[in-house]
Amino acid sequence: MPDIYTPDLMEVVNVRKQTPDVKSVRIQFQNKARASQFDFRVGQFGIFSAFGSGESTFNICSSSNWKDSLEFCFRKVGRVTEALWRVEEGDTIGFRGPYGNGYPVEKWEGKNLIFLGGGIAMPPIRCAVWYALENREKYGNITVVYGARTVADLVYVDELAEWAKRDRVRVIQCVDPGGQTSDWKGEVGFVPTVFERAKVAAENSVALVIGPPIMIKNTLPVLEKLGMGPDSIYTSLENRMKCGVGKCGRCNAGPVYVCKEGPVFTMEQLQKLPQDY
Amino acid sequence: MSEIISKAGLRELAKEWIAQGKVVAGPVQTKPGLVMYAKLASADEIVWEGFVRPANSVKEFVFPRHELLCTYKMEGNRVELANDGAEIPAQILLAVRPCDAAAFPILDHVFNWDCRDELYNRRREATTVIALACESHDESCFCTSVGLSPQAERGSDVMLFDLGEEYEVRSLTDKGRALFAGKAQPSERTAPTYMGPDPRFNPEQVKQFVDGQFTSPYWQEATLACLGCGACAYNCPTCHCFDIVDEGNSQHGKRVRNWDSCQFGQFTLHASGHNPRPDQGSRQRQRVLHKFSIYPEKFGEILCTGCGNCTRNCPEGQGMLTLLTGIEHA
């Protein structure tokens, strides 16, 4: 019987340790017919599982243009992520998805893109950056401001360096005060202040802000000062989910099921929702 | 023209259904003073009168508290998955209260919008609901506040009304007619109307309050006694939140879904430690919000049938009714 809760079986094709407690895992459908049908939008999420330990929800952090595999990235914090941490190339894990709305990348065409991320929020920004770089002619200037607690906590550092080499791309990395090393070349400070210091021109721009609530809260006034309206600032909510398909009753923020109508919202939409996220 | 069946005749009919291999469930006295919906081993077990309503809800026959999603088996680094292909036997829910029957069409929305939940639907389709109209209510009952009544037909395939020695039989669907075809006799007798409890609150006013007063101190103050035990949700005919977990080891096991409740602290706890609903006030508010605002906005119906089980099962004697009637004075 086909059912919406039975996952696809995926083969692990690559595991990378990004930081002492963050790994990224690339997976492929074992069922080749399923692989050829599969499509998703950047910004959508999946429900990934280690059999015996359970399921957990992560953004699909690869670009939707990469057809041979998909990738997710997680921090080891609980039962499921401890089990996923032990996964090696060739192992089998479960995947359900894609779920959620994804980023409105068509609407963003012709605009400058400002990406502001904190900590483990890089993966959901990374997929959008690669998507924009692969459709470079459709987007204006790309600015990435990415901060982590310490130098050792930055993820996808090789890719940050790769993006910085591209045309019309500016990448600013920062670490919290005290998190720098003696050879640290990036900025020291929190994302909102570092972004403000960078004096990014914000006309005709959209911003994607993802990170801890405190980072988002302090970044919004900076964007506002630059003249950005709440309809041009996007974020991705992280409400806890189980089913992913609007049934289990867990992820709602006020009247909105985050798994169906989100996880991507504009600040304008969030301002109308009760503080339930 | 309505139909009647003698009480003895209905008991015989239930025996026939059980003999045919159908699952028949109804109110059973599981221990002194406690009536619960349960599967009948024999038709004589059913309790027809002398109580207001069972302590649990009948939803578990369509949405079990623990349900297999799939099994997994590991061979080296390969995994094999298998679904539960077991046939769901036809089941008859007998002498169900109208407030339980009405929950099924309400639940149908969430398990069918956007994508179909086959696990729910296969049980739902195998089920025939024979409701017995209420003739009494207690201080926890409030069906008339949410648009239902002791004689509401919503969600029933057949409605029975107590006429003393007989039941009036009103077959409402083809499924229901099939069960009673040739078993009930035409009759002129119909049951008198029973009005049930007076309305206790206005659901529209509840919606306005929970939508507009999300941060009101009322939610904290009115729920200080709440223990967060979840008994209100587990015994509610319409609460349907669930969790998905693995049971087993790294070699073999099963993925299951279990009932869950918005009253539990871990329900919305993020991996980061952040919890959007950190206290019982916000969790009880969520229960009201879901039932009286979110669900009506999405599916056009209140996610509550007024059965009062949340209050009857609450160790603090609270429940929905306490919270909802209090809104008027908040």
Side-chain angles (χ1 to χ4, degrees), chain A residues 124-154:
Chain A
I125 286 176
R126 175 213 188 216
C127 56
V129 172
W130 277 119
Y131 181 90
L133 292 174
E134 286 154 3
N135 296 274
R136 195 66 195 91
E137 70 290 352
K138 292 182 180 163
Y139 301 98
N141 297 329
I142 296 175
T143 307
V144 180
V145 180
Y146 172 45
R149 279 170 303 183
T150 74
V151 175
D153 290 310
L154 292 159

PDB file of all heavy atoms in Angstrom, chain A residues 124-154:
ATOM      1  N   PRO A 124      20.603  26.255   4.579  1.00  0.00           N
ATOM      2  CA  PRO A 124      19.446  26.737   3.800  1.00  0.00           C
ATOM      3  C   PRO A 124      19.737  27.992   2.972  1.00  0.00           C
ATOM      4  O   PRO A 124      18.950  28.349   2.108  1.00  0.00           O
ATOM      5  CB  PRO A 124      18.374  27.012   4.869  1.00  0.00           C
ATOM      6  CG  PRO A 124      19.100  27.104   6.152  1.00  0.00           C
ATOM      7  CD  PRO A 124      20.313  26.240   6.024  1.00  0.00           C
ATOM      8  N   ILE A 125      20.856  28.663   3.256  1.00  0.00           N
ATOM      9  CA  ILE A 125      21.245  29.801   2.429  1.00  0.00           C
ATOM     10  C   ILE A 125      22.101  29.303   1.262  1.00  0.00           C
ATOM     11  O   ILE A 125      21.973  29.755   0.129  1.00  0.00           O
ATOM     12  CB  ILE A 125      22.008  30.837   3.288  1.00  0.00           C
ATOM     13  CG1 ILE A 125      21.003  31.566   4.188  1.00  0.00           C
ATOM     14  CG2 ILE A 125      22.783  31.814   2.412  1.00  0.00           C
ATOM     15  CD1 ILE A 125      21.620  32.546   5.147  1.00  0.00           C
ATOM     16  N   ARG A 126      22.919  28.301   1.568  1.00  0.00           N
ATOM     17  CA  ARG A 126      23.831  27.759   0.564  1.00  0.00           C
ATOM     18  C   ARG A 126      23.097  27.304  -0.698  1.00  0.00           C
ATOM     19  O   ARG A 126      23.533  27.568  -1.822  1.00  0.00           O
ATOM     20  CB  ARG A 126      24.584  26.588   1.194  1.00  0.00           C
ATOM     21  CG  ARG A 126      25.483  25.840   0.243  1.00  0.00           C
ATOM     22  CD  ARG A 126      25.524  24.375   0.611  1.00  0.00           C
ATOM     23  NE  ARG A 126      26.515  23.665  -0.172  1.00  0.00           N
ATOM     24  CZ  ARG A 126      26.346  22.421  -0.586  1.00  0.00           C
ATOM     25  NH1 ARG A 126      25.228  21.781  -0.275  1.00  0.00           N
ATOM     26  NH2 ARG A 126      27.267  21.828  -1.292  1.00  0.00           N
ATOM     27  N   CYS A 127      21.964  26.611  -0.545  1.00  0.00           N
ATOM     28  CA  CYS A 127      21.253  26.115  -1.730  1.00  0.00           C
ATOM     29  C   CYS A 127      20.775  27.272  -2.598  1.00  0.00           C
ATOM     30  O   CYS A 127      20.826  27.206  -3.839  1.00  0.00           O
ATOM     31  CB  CYS A 127      20.086  25.213  -1.332  1.00  0.00           C
ATOM     32  SG  CYS A 127      18.893  25.974  -0.221  1.00  0.00           S
ATOM     33  N   ALA A 128      20.372  28.372  -1.951  1.00  0.00           N
ATOM     34  CA  ALA A 128      19.889  29.529  -2.709  1.00  0.00           C
ATOM     35  C   ALA A 128      21.043  30.254  -3.391  1.00  0.00           C
ATOM     36  O   ALA A 128      20.898  30.745  -4.511  1.00  0.00           O
ATOM     37  CB  ALA A 128      19.148  30.483  -1.777  1.00  0.00           C
ATOM     38  N   VAL A 129      22.203  30.308  -2.712  1.00  0.00           N
ATOM     39  CA  VAL A 129      23.375  30.966  -3.321  1.00  0.00           C
ATOM     40  C   VAL A 129      23.799  30.204  -4.579  1.00  0.00           C
ATOM     41  O   VAL A 129      23.984  30.791  -5.649  1.00  0.00           O
ATOM     42  CB  VAL A 129      24.546  31.053  -2.311  1.00  0.00           C
ATOM     43  CG1 VAL A 129      25.803  31.560  -3.004  1.00  0.00           C
ATOM     44  CG2 VAL A 129      24.175  31.957  -1.137  1.00  0.00           C
ATOM     45  N   TRP A 130      23.906  28.892  -4.464  1.00  0.00           N
ATOM     46  CA  TRP A 130      24.308  28.105  -5.643  1.00  0.00           C
ATOM     47  C   TRP A 130      23.280  28.240  -6.759  1.00  0.00           C
ATOM     48  O   TRP A 130      23.623  28.391  -7.929  1.00  0.00           O
ATOM     49  CB  TRP A 130      24.498  26.621  -5.288  1.00  0.00           C
ATOM     50  CG  TRP A 130      25.843  26.325  -4.697  1.00  0.00           C
ATOM     51  CD1 TRP A 130      26.095  25.828  -3.466  1.00  0.00           C
ATOM     52  CD2 TRP A 130      27.120  26.530  -5.307  1.00  0.00           C
ATOM     53  NE1 TRP A 130      27.443  25.716  -3.250  1.00  0.00           N
ATOM     54  CE2 TRP A 130      28.102  26.136  -4.374  1.00  0.00           C
ATOM     55  CE3 TRP A 130      27.547  27.035  -6.541  1.00  0.00           C
ATOM     56  CZ2 TRP A 130      29.476  26.203  -4.640  1.00  0.00           C
ATOM     57  CZ3 TRP A 130      28.907  27.108  -6.806  1.00  0.00           C
ATOM     58  CH2 TRP A 130      29.870  26.687  -5.865  1.00  0.00           C
ATOM     59  N   TYR A 131      22.007  28.232  -6.390  1.00  0.00           N
ATOM     60  CA  TYR A 131      20.957  28.359  -7.407  1.00  0.00           C
ATOM     61  C   TYR A 131      21.108  29.691  -8.144  1.00  0.00           C
ATOM     62  O   TYR A 131      21.026  29.751  -9.373  1.00  0.00           O
ATOM     63  CB  TYR A 131      19.567  28.269  -6.760  1.00  0.00           C
ATOM     64  CG  TYR A 131      18.453  28.379  -7.775  1.00  0.00           C
ATOM     65  CD1 TYR A 131      17.943  27.237  -8.397  1.00  0.00           C
ATOM     66  CD2 TYR A 131      17.928  29.617  -8.142  1.00  0.00           C
ATOM     67  CE1 TYR A 131      16.939  27.337  -9.358  1.00  0.00           C
ATOM     68  CE2 TYR A 131      16.932  29.722  -9.095  1.00  0.00           C
ATOM     69  CZ  TYR A 131      16.440  28.580  -9.698  1.00  0.00           C
ATOM     70  OH  TYR A 131      15.456  28.686 -10.653  1.00  0.00           O
ATOM     71  N   ALA A 132      21.380  30.756  -7.390  1.00  0.00           N
ATOM     72  CA  ALA A 132      21.538  32.081  -8.012  1.00  0.00           C
ATOM     73  C   ALA A 132      22.793  32.117  -8.888  1.00  0.00           C
ATOM     74  O   ALA A 132      22.776  32.692  -9.973  1.00  0.00           O
ATOM     75  CB  ALA A 132      21.596  33.156  -6.935  1.00  0.00           C
ATOM     76  N   LEU A 133      23.875  31.490  -8.402  1.00  0.00           N
ATOM     77  CA  LEU A 133      25.119  31.486  -9.190  1.00  0.00           C
ATOM     78  C   LEU A 133      24.949  30.684 -10.472  1.00  0.00           C
ATOM     79  O   LEU A 133      25.565  30.997 -11.491  1.00  0.00           O
ATOM     80  CB  LEU A 133      26.279  30.918  -8.353  1.00  0.00           C
ATOM     81  CG  LEU A 133      26.732  31.788  -7.176  1.00  0.00           C
ATOM     82  CD1 LEU A 133      27.779  31.062  -6.345  1.00  0.00           C
ATOM     83  CD2 LEU A 133      27.274  33.134  -7.682  1.00  0.00           C
ATOM     84  N   GLU A 134      24.105  29.653 -10.415  1.00  0.00           N
ATOM     85  CA  GLU A 134      23.883  28.831 -11.615  1.00  0.00           C
ATOM     86  C   GLU A 134      22.922  29.497 -12.590  1.00  0.00           C
ATOM     87  O   GLU A 134      22.764  29.043 -13.719  1.00  0.00           O
ATOM     88  CB  GLU A 134      23.354  27.454 -11.186  1.00  0.00           C
ATOM     89  CG  GLU A 134      24.440  26.588 -10.561  1.00  0.00           C
ATOM     90  CD  GLU A 134      23.886  25.541  -9.599  1.00  0.00           C
ATOM     91  OE1 GLU A 134      22.651  25.446  -9.465  1.00  0.00           O
ATOM     92  OE2 GLU A 134      24.686  24.841  -8.974  1.00  0.00           O
ATOM     93  N   ASN A 135      22.235  30.541 -12.114  1.00  0.00           N
ATOM     94  CA  ASN A 135      21.348  31.323 -12.982  1.00  0.00           C
ATOM     95  C   ASN A 135      21.803  32.784 -12.893  1.00  0.00           C
ATOM     96  O   ASN A 135      21.003  33.688 -12.692  1.00  0.00           O
ATOM     97  CB  ASN A 135      19.899  31.184 -12.533  1.00  0.00           C
ATOM     98  CG  ASN A 135      19.394  29.758 -12.654  1.00  0.00           C
ATOM     99  OD1 ASN A 135      18.933  29.336 -13.703  1.00  0.00           O
ATOM    100  ND2 ASN A 135      19.517  29.003 -11.569  1.00  0.00           N
ATOM    101  N   ARG A 136      23.121  32.961 -13.041  1.00  0.00           N
ATOM    102  CA  ARG A 136      23.755  34.234 -12.692  1.00  0.00           C
ATOM    103  C   ARG A 136      23.134  35.438 -13.385  1.00  0.00           C
ATOM    104  O   ARG A 136      22.997  36.509 -12.813  1.00  0.00           O
ATOM    105  CB  ARG A 136      25.258  34.165 -13.032  1.00  0.00           C
ATOM    106  CG  ARG A 136      26.067  35.274 -12.385  1.00  0.00           C
ATOM    107  CD  ARG A 136      26.056  35.097 -10.870  1.00  0.00           C
ATOM    108  NE  ARG A 136      26.505  36.263 -10.129  1.00  0.00           N
ATOM    109  CZ  ARG A 136      25.686  37.236  -9.700  1.00  0.00           C
ATOM    110  NH1 ARG A 136      24.404  37.198  -9.965  1.00  0.00           N
ATOM    111  NH2 ARG A 136      26.170  38.242  -8.992  1.00  0.00           N
ATOM    112  N   GLU A 137      22.754  35.271 -14.665  1.00  0.00           N
ATOM    113  CA  GLU A 137      22.247  36.412 -15.455  1.00  0.00           C
ATOM    114  C   GLU A 137      20.909  36.925 -14.916  1.00  0.00           C
ATOM    115  O   GLU A 137      20.525  38.061 -15.168  1.00  0.00           O
ATOM    116  CB  GLU A 137      22.143  36.044 -16.945  1.00  0.00           C
ATOM    117  CG  GLU A 137      21.059  35.037 -17.329  1.00  0.00           C
ATOM    118  CD  GLU A 137      21.313  33.596 -16.856  1.00  0.00           C
ATOM    119  OE1 GLU A 137      22.435  33.296 -16.342  1.00  0.00           O
ATOM    120  OE2 GLU A 137      20.407  32.779 -16.981  1.00  0.00           O
ATOM    121  N   LYS A 138      20.206  36.079 -14.133  1.00  0.00           N
ATOM    122  CA  LYS A 138      18.874  36.485 -13.649  1.00  0.00           C
ATOM    123  C   LYS A 138      18.931  37.332 -12.384  1.00  0.00           C
ATOM    124  O   LYS A 138      17.927  37.890 -11.963  1.00  0.00           O
ATOM    125  CB  LYS A 138      18.022  35.246 -13.359  1.00  0.00           C
ATOM    126  CG  LYS A 138      17.639  34.470 -14.606  1.00  0.00           C
ATOM    127  CD  LYS A 138      16.770  33.296 -14.234  1.00  0.00           C
ATOM    128  CE  LYS A 138      16.378  32.501 -15.465  1.00  0.00           C
ATOM    129  NZ  LYS A 138      15.882  31.172 -15.108  1.00  0.00           N
ATOM    130  N   TYR A 139      20.083  37.365 -11.724  1.00  0.00           N
ATOM    131  CA  TYR A 139      20.152  38.057 -10.429  1.00  0.00           C
ATOM    132  C   TYR A 139      21.238  39.124 -10.435  1.00  0.00           C
ATOM    133  O   TYR A 139      22.230  39.017 -11.161  1.00  0.00           O
ATOM    134  CB  TYR A 139      20.391  37.043  -9.301  1.00  0.00           C
ATOM    135  CG  TYR A 139      19.280  36.009  -9.247  1.00  0.00           C
ATOM    136  CD1 TYR A 139      19.443  34.765  -9.834  1.00  0.00           C
ATOM    137  CD2 TYR A 139      18.049  36.311  -8.665  1.00  0.00           C
ATOM    138  CE1 TYR A 139      18.417  33.820  -9.830  1.00  0.00           C
ATOM    139  CE2 TYR A 139      17.016  35.390  -8.658  1.00  0.00           C
ATOM    140  CZ  TYR A 139      17.203  34.140  -9.237  1.00  0.00           C
ATOM    141  OH  TYR A 139      16.182  33.231  -9.244  1.00  0.00           O
ATOM    142  N   GLY A 140      21.042  40.141  -9.609  1.00  0.00           N
ATOM    143  CA  GLY A 140      21.995  41.241  -9.511  1.00  0.00           C
ATOM    144  C   GLY A 140      23.154  40.894  -8.583  1.00  0.00           C
ATOM    145  O   GLY A 140      23.621  39.751  -8.546  1.00  0.00           O
ATOM    146  N   ASN A 141      23.587  41.862  -7.787  1.00  0.00           N
ATOM    147  CA  ASN A 141      24.685  41.618  -6.849  1.00  0.00           C
ATOM    148  C   ASN A 141      24.263  40.636  -5.770  1.00  0.00           C
ATOM    149  O   ASN A 141      23.121  40.660  -5.322  1.00  0.00           O
ATOM    150  CB  ASN A 141      25.099  42.935  -6.183  1.00  0.00           C
ATOM    151  CG  ASN A 141      25.631  43.929  -7.199  1.00  0.00           C
ATOM    152  OD1 ASN A 141      26.227  43.531  -8.214  1.00  0.00           O
ATOM    153  ND2 ASN A 141      25.389  45.209  -6.952  1.00  0.00           N
ATOM    154  N   ILE A 142      25.205  39.806  -5.368  1.00  0.00           N
ATOM    155  CA  ILE A 142      24.929  38.850  -4.290  1.00  0.00           C
ATOM    156  C   ILE A 142      25.837  39.185  -3.114  1.00  0.00           C
ATOM    157  O   ILE A 142      27.056  39.286  -3.269  1.00  0.00           O
ATOM    158  CB  ILE A 142      25.185  37.403  -4.761  1.00  0.00           C
ATOM    159  CG1 ILE A 142      24.213  37.039  -5.895  1.00  0.00           C
ATOM    160  CG2 ILE A 142      25.060  36.424  -3.585  1.00  0.00           C
ATOM    161  CD1 ILE A 142      24.464  35.670  -6.520  1.00  0.00           C
ATOM    162  N   THR A 143      25.221  39.396  -1.944  1.00  0.00           N
ATOM    163  CA  THR A 143      26.001  39.639  -0.732  1.00  0.00           C
ATOM    164  C   THR A 143      25.689  38.534   0.265  1.00  0.00           C
ATOM    165  O   THR A 143      24.520  38.228   0.504  1.00  0.00           O
ATOM    166  CB  THR A 143      25.620  40.996  -0.097  1.00  0.00           C
ATOM    167  OG1 THR A 143      25.726  41.999  -1.104  1.00  0.00           O
ATOM    168  CG2 THR A 143      26.498  41.325   1.078  1.00  0.00           C
ATOM    169  N   VAL A 144      26.731  37.931   0.813  1.00  0.00           N
ATOM    170  CA  VAL A 144      26.543  36.901   1.832  1.00  0.00           C
ATOM    171  C   VAL A 144      27.243  37.364   3.107  1.00  0.00           C
ATOM    172  O   VAL A 144      28.446  37.621   3.083  1.00  0.00           O
ATOM    173  CB  VAL A 144      27.134  35.542   1.396  1.00  0.00           C
ATOM    174  CG1 VAL A 144      26.926  34.489   2.490  1.00  0.00           C
ATOM    175  CG2 VAL A 144      26.541  35.079   0.074  1.00  0.00           C
ATOM    176  N   VAL A 145      26.489  37.504   4.194  1.00  0.00           N
ATOM    177  CA  VAL A 145      27.121  37.758   5.492  1.00  0.00           C
ATOM    178  C   VAL A 145      26.837  36.550   6.357  1.00  0.00           C
ATOM    179  O   VAL A 145      25.677  36.205   6.604  1.00  0.00           O
ATOM    180  CB  VAL A 145      26.577  39.037   6.163  1.00  0.00           C
ATOM    181  CG1 VAL A 145      27.265  39.263   7.512  1.00  0.00           C
ATOM    182  CG2 VAL A 145      26.759  40.241   5.253  1.00  0.00           C
ATOM    183  N   TYR A 146      27.880  35.883   6.783  1.00  0.00           N
ATOM    184  CA  TYR A 146      27.714  34.639   7.514  1.00  0.00           C
ATOM    185  C   TYR A 146      28.545  34.662   8.784  1.00  0.00           C
ATOM    186  O   TYR A 146      29.760  34.896   8.738  1.00  0.00           O
ATOM    187  CB  TYR A 146      28.128  33.462   6.616  1.00  0.00           C
ATOM    188  CG  TYR A 146      28.180  32.129   7.353  1.00  0.00           C
ATOM    189  CD1 TYR A 146      27.163  31.752   8.223  1.00  0.00           C
ATOM    190  CD2 TYR A 146      29.255  31.258   7.172  1.00  0.00           C
ATOM    191  CE1 TYR A 146      27.218  30.551   8.902  1.00  0.00           C
ATOM    192  CE2 TYR A 146      29.304  30.038   7.836  1.00  0.00           C
ATOM    193  CZ  TYR A 146      28.289  29.689   8.701  1.00  0.00           C
ATOM    194  OH  TYR A 146      28.344  28.500   9.362  1.00  0.00           O
ATOM    195  N   GLY A 147      27.909  34.419   9.891  1.00  0.00           N
ATOM    196  CA  GLY A 147      28.623  34.441  11.159  1.00  0.00           C
ATOM    197  C   GLY A 147      28.423  33.161  11.945  1.00  0.00           C
ATOM    198  O   GLY A 147      27.388  32.501  11.829  1.00  0.00           O
ATOM    199  N   ALA A 148      29.446  32.815  12.729  1.00  0.00           N
ATOM    200  CA  ALA A 148      29.333  31.670  13.635  1.00  0.00           C
ATOM    201  C   ALA A 148      29.981  32.055  14.956  1.00  0.00           C
ATOM    202  O   ALA A 148      30.647  33.098  15.039  1.00  0.00           O
ATOM    203  CB  ALA A 148      30.005  30.448  13.046  1.00  0.00           C
ATOM    204  N   ARG A 149      29.795  31.218  15.975  1.00  0.00           N
ATOM    205  CA  ARG A 149      30.346  31.551  17.295  1.00  0.00           C
ATOM    206  C   ARG A 149      31.871  31.648  17.240  1.00  0.00           C
ATOM    207  O   ARG A 149      32.464  32.576  17.750  1.00  0.00           O
ATOM    208  CB  ARG A 149      29.941  30.483  18.320  1.00  0.00           C
ATOM    209  CG  ARG A 149      28.543  30.662  18.867  1.00  0.00           C
ATOM    210  CD  ARG A 149      28.136  29.461  19.677  1.00  0.00           C
ATOM    211  NE  ARG A 149      28.231  28.242  18.875  1.00  0.00           N
ATOM    212  CZ  ARG A 149      27.886  27.032  19.282  1.00  0.00           C
ATOM    213  NH1 ARG A 149      27.459  26.854  20.516  1.00  0.00           N
ATOM    214  NH2 ARG A 149      27.970  25.998  18.483  1.00  0.00           N
ATOM    215  N   THR A 150      32.477  30.619  16.601  1.00  0.00           N
ATOM    216  CA  THR A 150      33.946  30.606  16.513  1.00  0.00           C
ATOM    217  C   THR A 150      34.341  30.226  15.096  1.00  0.00           C
ATOM    218  O   THR A 150      33.511  29.775  14.305  1.00  0.00           O
ATOM    219  CB  THR A 150      34.567  29.570  17.462  1.00  0.00           C
ATOM    220  OG1 THR A 150      34.328  28.264  16.911  1.00  0.00           O
ATOM    221  CG2 THR A 150      33.971  29.622  18.861  1.00  0.00           C
ATOM    222  N   VAL A 151      35.601  30.378  14.794  1.00  0.00           N
ATOM    223  CA  VAL A 151      36.123  30.013  13.469  1.00  0.00           C
ATOM    224  C   VAL A 151      35.859  28.537  13.196  1.00  0.00           C
ATOM    225  O   VAL A 151      35.527  28.138  12.079  1.00  0.00           O
ATOM    226  CB  VAL A 151      37.638  30.335  13.396  1.00  0.00           C
ATOM    227  CG1 VAL A 151      38.228  29.849  12.080  1.00  0.00           C
ATOM    228  CG2 VAL A 151      37.871  31.838  13.553  1.00  0.00           C
ATOM    229  N   ALA A 152      35.956  27.729  14.236  1.00  0.00           N
ATOM    230  CA  ALA A 152      35.774  26.285  14.070  1.00  0.00           C
ATOM    231  C   ALA A 152      34.323  25.917  13.780  1.00  0.00           C
ATOM    232  O   ALA A 152      34.034  24.802  13.353  1.00  0.00           O
ATOM    233  CB  ALA A 152      36.256  25.556  15.320  1.00  0.00           C
ATOM    234  N   ASP A 153      33.379  26.841  14.015  1.00  0.00           N
ATOM    235  CA  ASP A 153      31.961  26.540  13.814  1.00  0.00           C
ATOM    236  C   ASP A 153      31.433  26.965  12.446  1.00  0.00           C
ATOM    237  O   ASP A 153      30.252  26.776  12.161  1.00  0.00           O
ATOM    238  CB  ASP A 153      31.122  27.221  14.908  1.00  0.00           C
ATOM    239  CG  ASP A 153      31.337  26.573  16.268  1.00  0.00           C
ATOM    240  OD1 ASP A 153      31.236  25.327  16.325  1.00  0.00           O
ATOM    241  OD2 ASP A 153      31.616  27.289  17.230  1.00  0.00           O
ATOM    242  N   LEU A 154      32.276  27.551  11.606  1.00  0.00           N
ATOM    243  CA  LEU A 154      31.819  27.952  10.271  1.00  0.00           C
ATOM    244  C   LEU A 154      31.690  26.704   9.394  1.00  0.00           C
ATOM    245  O   LEU A 154      32.573  25.850   9.392  1.00  0.00           O
ATOM    246  CB  LEU A 154      32.819  28.925   9.642  1.00  0.00           C
ATOM    247  CG  LEU A 154      32.904  30.305  10.311  1.00  0.00           C
ATOM    248  CD1 LEU A 154      34.234  30.976   9.977  1.00  0.00           C
ATOM    249  CD2 LEU A 154      31.733  31.183   9.888  1.00  0.00           C
TER     250      LEU A 154
END
